[in-house]
């Protein structure tokens, strides 16, 4: 059975990854879809100026999440507590949850923007949301899969 310190380190690995994943995918979303392709702004229900301001606020949010995740990551490394598989699972979970939230809540429920304003937006929606769900599942798999190292430790402890 894990002691409280092991649980805390495991939890910190997961949250560091989630924050970094959310920040990373938000940064990629904002850079690629908002700036380079100019498919949409974070908030498209107003003027272009409001859309650009909303993009700036969104961009700041992505950097706060990224920096917070990296501070936690650095602390884990400093304390020799990094569990890379768990951290990576958190990253992928953060990416998947953010992308699924964006695709379902912001695009469809709140309708603050679409992925792209075209007649066949459903194709973009399906690709966006299915890829988010797959990434989320891989993240969960990595988070809850026991690493070979922990299996070996349990086997040694039981002998």
């Amino acid at each position: 059975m894990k002691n409280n310190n092991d649980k805390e380190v495991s939890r910190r690995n997961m949250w560091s990854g989630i924050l970094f994943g959310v920040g990373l995918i938000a940064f990629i979303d904002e850079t690629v879809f908002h700036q380079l392709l100019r498919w949409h702004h974070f908030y498209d229900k107003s003027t272009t100026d409001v859309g650009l301001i909303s993009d700036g606020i969104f961009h700041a949010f992505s950097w706060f999440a990224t920096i917070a995740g990296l501070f936690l990551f650095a602390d884990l490394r400093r304390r020799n507590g990094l569990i890379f598989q768990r951290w990576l699972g958190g990253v992928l979970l953060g990416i998947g949850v953010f992308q699924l939230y964006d695709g379902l809540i912001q695009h469809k429920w709140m309708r603050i923007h679409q992925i792209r304003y075209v007649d066949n937006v459903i194709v973009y929606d399906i690709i966006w949301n299915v890829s988010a769900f797959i990434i989320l599942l891989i993240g969960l798999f990595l988070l809850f899969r026991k690493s070979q190292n922990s299996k070996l430790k349990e086997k040694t402890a039981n002998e």
Side-chain angles (χ1 to χ4, degrees):
M1 179 89 179
K2 287 184 174 184
N3 65 35
N4 286 339
N5 189 43
D6 289 344
K7 288 180 182 178
E8 177 64 20
V9 168
S10 181
R11 189 177 65 78
R12 287 175 60 94
N13 271 274
M14 180 188 71
W15 280 106
S16 170
I18 288 172
L19 285 169
F20 182 77
V22 166
L24 177 66
I25 196 63
F27 171 76
I28 291 169
D29 180 351
E30 204 269 333
T31 301
V32 174
F33 297 107
H34 298 217
Q35 293 178 14
L36 297 175
L37 296 174
R38 291 182 266 154
W39 283 1
H40 63 260
H41 295 292
F42 179 77
Y43 186 75
D44 274 340
K45 290 187 161 195
S46 188
T47 65
T48 301
D49 286 344
V50 170
L52 289 171
I53 291 167
S54 70
D55 285 348
I57 293 167
F58 177 56
H59 191 66
F61 159 79
S62 75
W63 276 112
F64 286 130
T66 304
I67 299 292
L70 288 174
F71 267 105
L72 285 171
F73 182 84
D75 186 57
L76 287 166
R77 295 266 326 231
R78 184 180 62 83
R79 296 173 189 246
N80 202 23
L82 180 65
I83 307 165
F84 187 74
Q85 176 181 305
R86 187 149 179 85
W87 183 80
L88 182 59
V91 170
L92 294 175
L93 181 63
I95 289 170
V97 166
F98 175 85
Q99 195 170 331
L100 202 56
Y101 166 80
D102 187 35
L104 296 177
I105 304 299
Q106 292 183 352
H107 296 175
K108 297 300 159 202
W109 186 59
M110 295 171 67
R111 296 191 175 277
I112 61 174
H113 65 261
Q114 293 298 319
I115 295 172
R116 188 171 187 193
Y117 293 95
V118 293
D119 290 335
N120 61 344
V121 72
I122 190 71
V123 174
Y124 292 91
D125 289 335
I126 290 170
I127 292 169
W128 188 267
N129 292 318
V130 168
S131 66
F133 189 67
I134 290 168
I135 293 167
L136 186 148
L137 288 178
I138 293 169
L140 286 172
F141 174 77
L142 289 175
L143 277 171
F144 294 107
R145 178 178 152 235
K146 287 195 177 196
S147 69
Q148 292 298 328
N149 205 13
S150 65
K151 288 179 188 175
L152 181 62
K153 283 180 186 176
E154 282 181 14
K155 185 177 178 184
T156 306
N158 291 332
E159 290 178 353

